Amino acid sequence: MRIHVFVRKPKRGLIIFSIEMMNIAEKYQIDHDMTMKTIEQVRSEFHRAGRSISKWAATHGYPAYLVQQVLSGRSRCLRGQSHEIAVLLQLKDGYIEREAENVGDIS
């Protein structure tokens, strides 16, 4: 199974990278069946693992307050970092689109 990660190259169009599902699953510890979870399930997984939300946020490069907003339901997770957090925590089905900073031209 393959998924597509879209990387937008500033003012020069769109580059599509196809990445093996295993690589993303290993990096972000995502289940292969990609079942969506409830906020309560995600919170209980943090509790069972003894891991803090702040540590998860720091590990993945997101502000802790934003992860807290997603897990409390205060954020709608429609776009930006809150969308990315929801996808990584499997609260939402979707893909992550990132701005490319150091991507060379494909010729």
Side-chain angles (χ1 to χ4, degrees), residues 4-101:
H4 295 282
V5 177
F6 297 92
V7 179
R8 192 179 310 259
K9 193 172 175 185
K11 298 183 182 178
R12 292 191 184 139
L14 189 67
I15 302 170
I16 300 174
F17 294 98
S18 181
I19 299 175
E20 290 294 331
M21 184 66 182
M22 288 293 296
N23 294 341
I24 289 181
E26 289 171 6
K27 183 173 181 180
Y28 293 110
Q29 301 171 351
I30 297 173
D31 295 333
H32 296 287
D33 59 4
M34 296 298 288
T35 57
M36 296 300 105
K37 299 175 184 171
T38 65
I39 291 173
E40 294 79 21
Q41 288 173 323
V42 172
R43 284 190 172 276
S44 68
E45 285 179 11
F46 276 112
H47 182 69
R48 282 196 316 269
R51 190 163 192 201
S52 72
I53 294 169
S54 300
K55 179 153 178 127
W56 185 92
T59 301
H60 290 85
Y62 296 104
Y65 78 89
L66 194 55
V67 178
Q68 292 284 2
Q69 285 182 349
V70 169
L71 290 176
S72 68
R74 287 187 306 245
S75 176
R76 292 176 44 199
C77 307
L78 296 177
R79 65 189 67 81
Q81 288 185 324
S82 61
H83 165 80
E84 293 175 12
I85 292 165
V87 170
L88 290 175
L89 292 174
Q90 297 176 321
L91 294 169
K92 176 181 179 180
D93 187 25
Y95 62 89
I96 297 173
E97 182 176 274
R98 296 185 186 260
E99 294 288 328
E101 295 174 3

